[in-house]
Amino acid sequence: LSDQTNVGNWVLNTEVSDEFDSGTLDEDKWHIQGKNGVYQSNFIGRAPSQFSINNAIVEDEKLKILTKWEPGFDFHPTKTQTSNGKVYKYENITTAAVISKKQFKYGYMEIKCKSANAPITSSFWTTGKGTSELDMFEMFGGHKSNEAWKKRLKFNIISWDKDNPFYQPVFKGPVHTRNIQAEKNTADDFHVYGFDWTSEHIKVYIDGVLHANGTILKSELTKNGTEPDRWVTDSDYWIWFDSETFPWLGLPTESDLTVPAEYQIEYIRVWQKS
């Protein structure tokens, strides 16, 4: 949407692009987390929510990631997660994750979507093989008390390289994080979010317009190259779509999910220069 005349000579990467208009999910292209017992990165969801293969569907020519209040689900009996010092077991809430089977490196990622209108994240992110993570956005379109979160794209760059001084568990957070504030609530309607990812920058677009706070430069992040380990996104990545509970931002209750919440993706298009 940001280069309608294709000045950049972009070519569509069909291996990681999808219009979701075939009526069913193309499982040659996408992995539903948990299908056939396979959990990439050993990630079953962020407790108390757990991924269910039944919660990723294609309907109305859209990929829908559903969040349900489902206390009868077969939750993992022993796994837990700790958040802000409190231990959470997996219970009550099911979500889903869909992951690309192919990786790619650099390009313009464009997604048309509407976030879930519930206290649950709607996320578009990537992982590399033991290297790093790029969170294009984590949205919280149905936040109960924080209106700013309803208009926010939470952007993160995270290192998972144990030899990197900014390794997330040691550094205690992302290498870089920022709030990209949209003009409208992300759960109110569909919008097009674009991410130009190169070896020198990442730029964030909303409805074809470069956001005022959407330019992340390698030169600035690495302090003109004096801290090169801060730039960790030169990696082959898989795409993820998922919803998760973030306990520190508030958890859904049964009344929030009387009707399953829907994170809806109309399309994902990945364009590259070659």
Side-chain angles (χ1 to χ4, degrees):
L1 194 64
S2 62
D3 187 4
Q4 288 287 282
T5 58
N6 200 15
V7 173
N9 294 316
W10 300 99
V11 177
L12 186 69
N13 181 337
T14 58
E15 292 185 326
V16 285
S17 300
D18 205 324
E19 301 297 311
F20 302 116
D21 57 2
S22 65
T24 58
L25 188 64
D26 183 352
E27 293 189 44
D28 290 331
K29 184 176 290 187
W30 303 102
H31 169 64
I32 302 174
Q33 190 75 320
K35 190 72 177 281
N36 298 320
V38 177
Y39 287 91
Q40 188 161 312
S41 302
N42 295 315
F43 185 35
I44 70 170
R46 191 184 300 275
S49 65
Q50 185 170 324
F51 296 140
S52 166
I53 62 173
N54 299 320
N55 289 17
I57 64 172
V58 171
E59 183 181 68
D60 304 325
E61 299 188 345
K62 300 173 183 67
L63 170 62
K64 297 182 179 180
I65 304 293
L66 308 179
T67 300
K68 302 176 184 176
W69 187 266
E70 197 173 5
F73 183 76
D74 185 18
F75 290 96
H76 196 287
T78 58
K79 274 193 175 183
T80 59
Q81 286 189 334
T82 301
S83 176
N84 290 346
K86 184 175 180 179
V87 177
Y88 293 88
K89 65 179 183 177
Y90 290 88
E91 60 180 352
N92 296 328
I93 302 163
T94 58
T95 58
V98 172
I99 311 163
S100 67
K101 289 189 174 180
K102 296 288 187 178
Q103 292 182 300
F104 68 103
K105 186 177 181 180
Y106 305 139
Y108 183 85
M109 299 172 282
E110 188 172 87
I111 176 176
K112 185 176 183 180
C113 68
K114 180 168 69 169
S115 67
N117 189 13
I120 190 84
T121 62
S122 300
S123 300
F124 175 44
W125 53 296
T126 68
T127 56
K129 195 170 184 179
T131 55
S132 59
E133 172 183 329
L134 173 59
D135 300 336
M136 283 75 76
F137 62 67
E138 294 166 334
M139 296 174 176
F140 218 88
H143 199 288
K144 288 184 176 180
S145 57
N146 189 327
E147 291 298 314
W149 256 107
K150 294 180 179 181
K151 300 178 180 180
R152 178 170 298 164
L153 284 68
K154 185 63 163 178
F155 175 94
N156 299 302
I157 297 173
I158 297 171
S159 173
W160 293 111
D161 179 357
K162 293 181 180 180
D163 295 325
N164 189 307
F166 299 99
Y167 174 52
Q168 197 269 356
V170 175
F171 190 58
K172 303 300 183 185
V175 175
H176 180 73
T177 186
R178 68 175 62 187
N179 297 327
I180 309 293
Q181 293 295 136
E183 293 182 0
K184 299 179 181 179
N185 290 2
T186 60
D188 286 355
D189 205 350
F190 286 88
H191 293 280
V192 178
Y193 305 97
F195 303 87
D196 182 12
W197 164 42
T198 76
S199 62
E200 299 299 322
H201 69 250
I202 299 168
K203 295 184 179 181
V204 182
Y205 295 77
I206 300 179
D207 294 326
V209 178
L210 179 62
H211 192 278
N213 191 36
T215 299
I216 300 92
L217 299 177
K218 178 180 180 179
S219 58
E220 291 182 359
L221 191 58
T222 63
K223 301 179 181 179
N224 288 322
T226 60
E227 295 186 0
D229 290 325
R230 286 183 177 272
W231 190 257
V232 298
T233 58
D234 295 332
S235 176
D236 292 342
Y237 279 146
W238 291 285
I239 286 175
W240 290 62
F241 307 105
D242 79 354
S243 287
E244 302 172 26
T245 46
F246 278 13
W248 60 95
L249 291 176
L251 291 172
T253 63
E254 183 175 4
S255 62
D256 295 318
L257 301 174
T258 303
V259 176
E262 297 184 352
Y263 166 30
Q264 300 185 42
I265 300 111
E266 188 167 317
Y267 65 73
I268 168 65
R269 298 170 185 164
V270 176
W271 303 82
Q272 293 178 292
K273 291 290 182 75
S274 63

PDB file of all heavy atoms in Angstrom, residues 14-15 33 62 84 94 106 109 118-119 123 135 145 232 239 250 273:
ATOM      1  N   THR A  14       5.629 -15.737  -2.684  1.00  0.00           N
ATOM      2  CA  THR A  14       4.381 -16.497  -2.540  1.00  0.00           C
ATOM      3  C   THR A  14       4.475 -17.582  -1.476  1.00  0.00           C
ATOM      4  O   THR A  14       3.440 -18.087  -1.017  1.00  0.00           O
ATOM      5  CB  THR A  14       3.982 -17.128  -3.883  1.00  0.00           C
ATOM      6  OG1 THR A  14       5.041 -17.980  -4.339  1.00  0.00           O
ATOM      7  CG2 THR A  14       3.714 -16.051  -4.931  1.00  0.00           C
ATOM      8  N   GLU A  15       5.688 -17.943  -1.048  1.00  0.00           N
ATOM      9  CA  GLU A  15       5.838 -18.998  -0.042  1.00  0.00           C
ATOM     10  C   GLU A  15       5.379 -18.553   1.341  1.00  0.00           C
ATOM     11  O   GLU A  15       5.023 -19.389   2.175  1.00  0.00           O
ATOM     12  CB  GLU A  15       7.292 -19.464   0.023  1.00  0.00           C
ATOM     13  CG  GLU A  15       7.761 -20.206  -1.214  1.00  0.00           C
ATOM     14  CD  GLU A  15       9.160 -20.761  -1.058  1.00  0.00           C
ATOM     15  OE1 GLU A  15       9.994 -20.110  -0.381  1.00  0.00           O
ATOM     16  OE2 GLU A  15       9.426 -21.835  -1.611  1.00  0.00           O
ATOM     17  N   GLN A  33       0.179 -24.400  15.477  1.00  0.00           N
ATOM     18  CA  GLN A  33       0.951 -24.811  16.645  1.00  0.00           C
ATOM     19  C   GLN A  33       0.198 -25.881  17.435  1.00  0.00           C
ATOM     20  O   GLN A  33      -0.955 -25.693  17.821  1.00  0.00           O
ATOM     21  CB  GLN A  33       1.249 -23.588  17.523  1.00  0.00           C
ATOM     22  CG  GLN A  33       2.229 -23.828  18.647  1.00  0.00           C
ATOM     23  CD  GLN A  33       3.675 -23.943  18.202  1.00  0.00           C
ATOM     24  OE1 GLN A  33       3.966 -24.550  17.179  1.00  0.00           O
ATOM     25  NE2 GLN A  33       4.585 -23.364  18.974  1.00  0.00           N
ATOM     26  N   LYS A  62     -10.788 -15.048   5.600  1.00  0.00           N
ATOM     27  CA  LYS A  62      -9.855 -14.496   6.580  1.00  0.00           C
ATOM     28  C   LYS A  62      -9.318 -15.621   7.447  1.00  0.00           C
ATOM     29  O   LYS A  62     -10.011 -16.609   7.704  1.00  0.00           O
ATOM     30  CB  LYS A  62     -10.545 -13.458   7.473  1.00  0.00           C
ATOM     31  CG  LYS A  62     -11.130 -12.262   6.732  1.00  0.00           C
ATOM     32  CD  LYS A  62     -11.929 -11.389   7.682  1.00  0.00           C
ATOM     33  CE  LYS A  62     -12.575 -10.227   6.947  1.00  0.00           C
ATOM     34  NZ  LYS A  62     -13.639 -10.694   6.004  1.00  0.00           N
ATOM     35  N   ASN A  84       5.829 -11.532  36.727  1.00  0.00           N
ATOM     36  CA  ASN A  84       5.899 -10.558  37.826  1.00  0.00           C
ATOM     37  C   ASN A  84       5.845 -11.251  39.196  1.00  0.00           C
ATOM     38  O   ASN A  84       5.180 -10.777  40.122  1.00  0.00           O
ATOM     39  CB  ASN A  84       4.773  -9.534  37.713  1.00  0.00           C
ATOM     40  CG  ASN A  84       4.965  -8.600  36.534  1.00  0.00           C
ATOM     41  OD1 ASN A  84       6.036  -8.528  35.948  1.00  0.00           O
ATOM     42  ND2 ASN A  84       3.920  -7.875  36.180  1.00  0.00           N
ATOM     43  N   THR A  94      -8.245 -20.854  25.912  1.00  0.00           N
ATOM     44  CA  THR A  94      -7.527 -21.395  24.759  1.00  0.00           C
ATOM     45  C   THR A  94      -7.369 -20.313  23.699  1.00  0.00           C
ATOM     46  O   THR A  94      -8.245 -19.467  23.506  1.00  0.00           O
ATOM     47  CB  THR A  94      -8.252 -22.605  24.147  1.00  0.00           C
ATOM     48  OG1 THR A  94      -9.578 -22.229  23.750  1.00  0.00           O
ATOM     49  CG2 THR A  94      -8.321 -23.755  25.137  1.00  0.00           C
ATOM     50  N   TYR A 106      14.642 -10.349   5.041  1.00  0.00           N
ATOM     51  CA  TYR A 106      14.425  -8.991   4.545  1.00  0.00           C
ATOM     52  C   TYR A 106      13.222  -8.931   3.600  1.00  0.00           C
ATOM     53  O   TYR A 106      12.842  -9.889   2.953  1.00  0.00           O
ATOM     54  CB  TYR A 106      15.660  -8.433   3.833  1.00  0.00           C
ATOM     55  CG  TYR A 106      16.927  -8.460   4.643  1.00  0.00           C
ATOM     56  CD1 TYR A 106      18.145  -8.818   4.054  1.00  0.00           C
ATOM     57  CD2 TYR A 106      16.931  -8.129   5.996  1.00  0.00           C
ATOM     58  CE1 TYR A 106      19.329  -8.835   4.775  1.00  0.00           C
ATOM     59  CE2 TYR A 106      18.108  -8.156   6.725  1.00  0.00           C
ATOM     60  CZ  TYR A 106      19.300  -8.507   6.115  1.00  0.00           C
ATOM     61  OH  TYR A 106      20.465  -8.545   6.833  1.00  0.00           O
ATOM     62  N   MET A 109       6.820  -6.541   4.699  1.00  0.00           N
ATOM     63  CA  MET A 109       5.742  -7.384   5.208  1.00  0.00           C
ATOM     64  C   MET A 109       4.498  -6.528   5.392  1.00  0.00           C
ATOM     65  O   MET A 109       4.531  -5.536   6.124  1.00  0.00           O
ATOM     66  CB  MET A 109       6.145  -8.021   6.539  1.00  0.00           C
ATOM     67  CG  MET A 109       7.361  -8.905   6.454  1.00  0.00           C
ATOM     68  SD  MET A 109       7.938  -9.451   8.094  1.00  0.00           S
ATOM     69  CE  MET A 109       8.794  -7.977   8.678  1.00  0.00           C
ATOM     70  N   ALA A 118     -10.867  -7.977  23.010  1.00  0.00           N
ATOM     71  CA  ALA A 118     -10.870  -8.670  24.299  1.00  0.00           C
ATOM     72  C   ALA A 118      -9.518  -8.429  24.964  1.00  0.00           C
ATOM     73  O   ALA A 118      -8.563  -8.009  24.297  1.00  0.00           O
ATOM     74  CB  ALA A 118     -11.108 -10.166  24.098  1.00  0.00           C
ATOM     75  N   PRO A 119      -9.401  -8.704  26.260  1.00  0.00           N
ATOM     76  CA  PRO A 119      -8.106  -8.530  26.941  1.00  0.00           C
ATOM     77  C   PRO A 119      -7.135  -9.658  26.573  1.00  0.00           C
ATOM     78  O   PRO A 119      -6.767 -10.491  27.382  1.00  0.00           O
ATOM     79  CB  PRO A 119      -8.482  -8.570  28.432  1.00  0.00           C
ATOM     80  CG  PRO A 119      -9.950  -8.410  28.489  1.00  0.00           C
ATOM     81  CD  PRO A 119     -10.479  -9.014  27.223  1.00  0.00           C
ATOM     82  N   SER A 123      -1.089 -10.694  17.713  1.00  0.00           N
ATOM     83  CA  SER A 123       0.323 -10.471  17.451  1.00  0.00           C
ATOM     84  C   SER A 123       0.744 -10.950  16.069  1.00  0.00           C
ATOM     85  O   SER A 123       0.212 -11.924  15.535  1.00  0.00           O
ATOM     86  CB  SER A 123       1.180 -11.175  18.506  1.00  0.00           C
ATOM     87  OG  SER A 123       0.877 -10.688  19.801  1.00  0.00           O
ATOM     88  N   ASP A 135       9.168  -8.559  16.841  1.00  0.00           N
ATOM     89  CA  ASP A 135       7.732  -8.396  17.048  1.00  0.00           C
ATOM     90  C   ASP A 135       7.282  -7.168  16.271  1.00  0.00           C
ATOM     91  O   ASP A 135       7.499  -6.033  16.711  1.00  0.00           O
ATOM     92  CB  ASP A 135       7.403  -8.206  18.534  1.00  0.00           C
ATOM     93  CG  ASP A 135       7.831  -9.388  19.383  1.00  0.00           C
ATOM     94  OD1 ASP A 135       7.959 -10.504  18.839  1.00  0.00           O
ATOM     95  OD2 ASP A 135       8.043  -9.189  20.593  1.00  0.00           O
ATOM     96  N   SER A 145      -8.818  -1.158  30.680  1.00  0.00           N
ATOM     97  CA  SER A 145      -8.655   0.101  31.403  1.00  0.00           C
ATOM     98  C   SER A 145      -7.697   1.085  30.751  1.00  0.00           C
ATOM     99  O   SER A 145      -7.699   2.267  31.099  1.00  0.00           O
ATOM    100  CB  SER A 145      -8.181  -0.170  32.841  1.00  0.00           C
ATOM    101  OG  SER A 145      -6.972  -0.903  32.831  1.00  0.00           O
ATOM    102  N   VAL A 232      20.105  -7.344  15.900  1.00  0.00           N
ATOM    103  CA  VAL A 232      20.048  -8.813  15.913  1.00  0.00           C
ATOM    104  C   VAL A 232      19.085  -9.378  14.874  1.00  0.00           C
ATOM    105  O   VAL A 232      18.786 -10.574  14.883  1.00  0.00           O
ATOM    106  CB  VAL A 232      19.655  -9.327  17.318  1.00  0.00           C
ATOM    107  CG1 VAL A 232      20.698  -8.928  18.342  1.00  0.00           C
ATOM    108  CG2 VAL A 232      18.269  -8.829  17.730  1.00  0.00           C
ATOM    109  N   ILE A 239       7.317 -16.495  10.152  1.00  0.00           N
ATOM    110  CA  ILE A 239       6.233 -15.600  10.562  1.00  0.00           C
ATOM    111  C   ILE A 239       5.323 -16.321  11.551  1.00  0.00           C
ATOM    112  O   ILE A 239       5.013 -17.496  11.379  1.00  0.00           O
ATOM    113  CB  ILE A 239       5.417 -15.137   9.343  1.00  0.00           C
ATOM    114  CG1 ILE A 239       6.192 -14.110   8.522  1.00  0.00           C
ATOM    115  CG2 ILE A 239       4.056 -14.567   9.759  1.00  0.00           C
ATOM    116  CD1 ILE A 239       5.499 -13.711   7.240  1.00  0.00           C
ATOM    117  N   GLY A 250      -3.650  -7.630  32.436  1.00  0.00           N
ATOM    118  CA  GLY A 250      -5.030  -8.003  32.745  1.00  0.00           C
ATOM    119  C   GLY A 250      -5.454  -9.246  31.989  1.00  0.00           C
ATOM    120  O   GLY A 250      -5.137  -9.400  30.812  1.00  0.00           O
ATOM    121  N   LYS A 273      13.029  -7.526  -2.709  1.00  0.00           N
ATOM    122  CA  LYS A 273      13.680  -6.830  -3.824  1.00  0.00           C
ATOM    123  C   LYS A 273      14.239  -7.816  -4.847  1.00  0.00           C
ATOM    124  O   LYS A 273      14.555  -7.435  -5.942  1.00  0.00           O
ATOM    125  CB  LYS A 273      14.794  -5.932  -3.287  1.00  0.00           C
ATOM    126  CG  LYS A 273      14.286  -4.721  -2.490  1.00  0.00           C
ATOM    127  CD  LYS A 273      13.599  -3.716  -3.399  1.00  0.00           C
ATOM    128  CE  LYS A 273      13.147  -2.493  -2.635  1.00  0.00           C
ATOM    129  NZ  LYS A 273      14.219  -1.568  -2.264  1.00  0.00           N
TER     130      LYS A 273
END
